[in-house]
Amino acid sequence: MSYPAEPFRIKSVETLTLLSKEERVKKIISAGYNTFLLNSRDVYIDLLTDSGTNAMSDKQWAGIMLGDEAYAGSENFFHLESTVQELFGFRYLVPTHQGRGAENLLSQVAITPGQFVAGNMYFTTTRYHQEKNGAVFVDVIRDEAHDASAILPFKGDIDLSKLETLIEDKGANNIAYVCLAVTVNMAGGQPVSMSNMRAVRALTQRHGIKVYYDATRCVENAYFIREREAGYENTPISDIFHEMFSYADGCTMSGKKDCLVNIGGFLCMNDEKLFGAVRELVVVYEGMPSYGGLAGRDMEAMAIGLREAMQFEYIEHRVKQVRYLGDKLKAAGIPIVEPVGGHAVFLDARRFCPHLQQEQLPAQSLAASIYVETGVRAMERGIVSSGRNKETGENYHPKLETVRLTIPRRVYTYAHMDRVADGIIELFNRRENIRGLRFIYEPKQLRFFTARFEYL
């Protein structure tokens, strides 16, 4: 396997500090064994998330200086709008402070209480907004996506038979929309094929159902299509990108990922009536329709970042740096979700910690143990993230119980990946010492962000 060198030069650096193991033990206890509650200064290599942790380019920083901070009609808004219209192909754009702001707006205008939203596996904030507005989320992803060891090129695909059965059982009028994630975060960053997007579009059009993409890591998805799907081998990323979105009615976007910025997002759509409703709501929750909770400089950086993300050299390095870490762990026998996705390596906590039952929160404990062993901060994506059934109060039990090692864009080098891998391999050799956890504080909503734990 060939891994490309970084397609950039480093012009500014930030000093890292590695605390002693004794200090790290104290820090994780103080944080209630929740890596979200660690302070950044106490983390050596931060793989908590790729959201807003990107390094911006010299051109983006130059764009910051062009910020038009007018309250209405900012020039930077028009630059962002025209960029998104060209690349995505949608008619209307509303900027938001980040992706969940767009999820909130879409859920309010597109869902009637009692309707169903079909999607290729849930995402935490997305499902929360859908359910908060009265929808029932139904997972229609292919079965193999729930199997960490299944190796398929497009594990994020929607199972068309599942979707068709849902439509037949519930009625097309009771389906608010299909939420298609590209890529599927909770499945390990798995992509969706172009043929599947095309087929989903054909099926939903027959029934008059809209399709909205969660476009958070859409550039990564475009790269996987070029790499894995016949007929796209030499197609420019921007052309693949444009075709992907031609099969959708709109999208929510967290610009903090593939737009290569530290804050921002947007909601796109083609429906003029829905757009009018969104413009009214964005004033209530975010700000004027021409800034939506963002400064002009942030919109400028996002417009520039989107074009940079279309460069093949950038996205090839981005995906293959993640793959480098996954390949190194796999070669050492570490159980991971396969194939490796575009933004993170997901450790399979079930196989990593076979001595722990799922109710003992193995992924949460593994994430805490990784910090103690290595100084690396990772994230739980398992039973804690899944939450509880509102009616029964019982924990959801996802088939995937994982720890996400999320690689920020243009931040770390291959040498950093080596340090991460070496530490996890050492921990794996002593994995029987990893103990189960229990809640000592559990928020009612999105508990994984602020919950606290103790050892059983």
Side-chain angles (χ1 to χ4, degrees):
M1 180 65 182
S2 175
Y3 306 100
E6 287 80 2
F8 50 80
R9 290 181 294 190
I10 298 169
K11 301 174 79 171
S12 180
V13 298
E14 178 183 356
T15 302
L16 298 177
T17 300
L18 178 61
L19 301 180
S20 69
K21 188 170 183 178
E22 291 75 18
E23 290 175 303
R24 297 197 298 271
V25 169
K26 293 177 182 177
K27 297 298 182 182
I28 199 66
I29 292 173
S30 178
Y33 298 94
N34 187 344
T35 53
F36 278 96
L37 302 181
L38 291 167
N39 291 332
S40 175
R41 65 175 177 268
D42 299 326
V43 174
Y44 176 45
I45 298 174
D46 201 343
L47 307 185
L48 183 74
T49 183
D50 62 331
S51 179
T53 56
N54 309 297
M56 292 202 300
S57 71
D58 52 353
K59 292 181 175 59
Q60 287 178 292
W61 282 110
I64 291 283
M65 300 306 296
L66 300 176
D68 174 7
E69 307 307 341
Y71 190 78
S74 165
E75 283 298 309
N76 308 120
F77 166 73
F78 296 118
H79 183 198
L80 176 62
E81 181 185 51
S82 63
T83 299
V84 171
Q85 287 172 337
E86 176 188 337
L87 296 178
F88 289 76
F90 296 121
R91 295 175 62 191
Y92 303 115
L93 164 77
V94 173
T96 59
H97 74 284
Q98 61 185 79
R100 68 196 59 175
E103 294 169 355
N104 176 37
L105 296 174
L106 177 63
S107 297
Q108 289 200 51
V109 301
I111 292 172
T112 299
Q115 287 186 312
F116 297 83
V117 173
N120 52 342
M121 202 173 284
Y122 82 98
F123 184 68
T124 51
T125 59
T126 314
R127 187 178 69 183
Y128 171 80
H129 285 298
Q130 292 163 354
E131 292 178 345
K132 183 175 184 292
N133 285 280
V136 177
F137 174 79
V138 180
D139 186 1
V140 292
I141 201 168
R142 62 188 307 168
D143 290 339
E144 297 90 342
H146 297 282
D147 182 350
S149 61
I151 301 177
L152 295 167
F154 294 103
K155 284 172 75 174
D157 282 358
I158 280 180
D159 185 321
L160 296 174
S161 62
K162 289 182 181 179
L163 179 56
E164 198 152 20
T165 298
L166 178 68
I167 296 170
E168 291 172 357
D169 288 349
K170 305 301 181 183
N173 291 337
N174 291 318
I175 310 297
Y177 56 89
V178 173
C179 181
L180 180 63
V182 286
T183 59
V184 184
N185 186 359
M186 301 298 280
Q190 302 301 325
V192 180
S193 66
M194 192 75 82
S195 61
N196 189 248
M197 296 182 212
R198 196 179 298 120
V200 169
R201 182 60 164 182
L203 173 59
T204 54
Q205 275 189 328
R206 290 200 302 270
H207 295 280
I209 299 170
K210 292 187 181 297
V211 179
Y212 290 96
Y213 287 4
D214 175 348
T216 296
R217 297 178 180 88
C218 48
V219 183
E220 294 169 13
N221 202 105
Y223 176 83
F224 284 122
I225 289 174
R226 174 177 164 131
E227 182 183 57
R228 300 175 182 176
E229 192 161 359
Y232 293 93
E233 297 87 348
N234 300 307
T235 307
I237 294 295
S238 58
D239 290 355
I240 297 172
F241 193 81
H242 197 274
E243 184 183 347
M244 285 168 51
F245 288 99
S246 71
Y247 303 124
D249 294 287
C251 73
T252 59
M253 180 70 170
S254 173
K256 297 166 68 177
K257 284 84 169 177
D258 274 352
C259 293
L260 303 177
V261 290
N262 307 124
I263 196 67
F266 51 80
L267 172 60
C268 292
M269 56 183 52
N270 289 324
D271 188 307
E272 185 175 6
K273 183 178 179 181
L274 277 184
F275 176 64
V278 168
R279 280 174 58 88
E280 294 180 14
L281 282 176
V282 75
V283 177
V284 176
Y285 290 101
E286 302 271 346
M288 283 291 288
S290 59
Y291 75 86
L294 293 174
R297 56 183 175 267
D298 296 320
M299 291 188 286
E300 186 68 21
M302 190 153 48
I304 295 169
L306 262 174
R307 293 202 182 276
E308 292 181 352
M310 296 295 133
Q311 298 168 2
F312 179 76
E313 293 77 15
Y314 152 74
I315 190 60
E316 180 188 37
H317 170 266
R318 192 283 185 284
V319 172
K320 288 189 176 179
Q321 185 185 47
V322 176
R323 192 173 297 167
Y324 174 84
L325 175 59
D327 288 349
K328 186 154 188 170
L329 291 170
K330 183 180 175 182
I334 308 299
I336 64 173
V337 174
E338 297 184 71
V340 175
H343 71 293
V345 177
F346 286 68
L347 303 176
D348 184 354
R350 289 183 185 273
R351 289 184 287 160
F352 201 112
C353 305
H355 57 289
L356 297 180
Q357 300 298 313
Q358 193 170 28
E359 286 286 344
Q360 295 174 304
L361 318 181
Q364 188 70 45
S365 187
L366 177 54
S369 297
I370 289 171
Y371 172 74
V372 171
E373 181 65 35
T374 67
V376 174
R377 175 159 61 169
M379 178 196 295
E380 185 270 0
R381 297 273 78 159
I383 189 172
V384 175
S385 293
S386 294
R388 294 184 183 274
N389 184 303
K390 290 184 177 180
E391 295 181 0
T392 67
E394 296 295 317
N395 283 314
Y396 288 117
H397 290 83
K399 293 181 179 178
L400 290 176
E401 182 75 17
T402 66
V403 170
R404 193 180 79 179
L405 305 166
T406 331
I407 316 302
R409 296 162 183 80
R410 304 190 294 202
V411 172
Y412 294 115
T413 67
Y414 289 112
H416 289 109
M417 300 301 101
D418 289 337
R419 289 296 300 268
V420 173
D422 291 345
I424 291 174
I425 292 167
E426 180 65 25
L427 176 62
F428 185 69
N429 293 331
R430 301 195 308 273
R431 58 191 179 278
E432 66 278 359
N433 296 327
I434 298 174
R435 300 160 58 193
L437 292 171
R438 64 184 175 192
F439 286 95
I440 56 173
Y441 166 66
E442 181 180 353
K444 292 182 179 180
Q445 313 292 348
L446 300 173
R447 62 187 185 180
F448 62 94
F449 282 124
T450 56
R452 301 182 74 86
F453 309 88
E454 68 180 6
Y455 281 127
L456 292 169

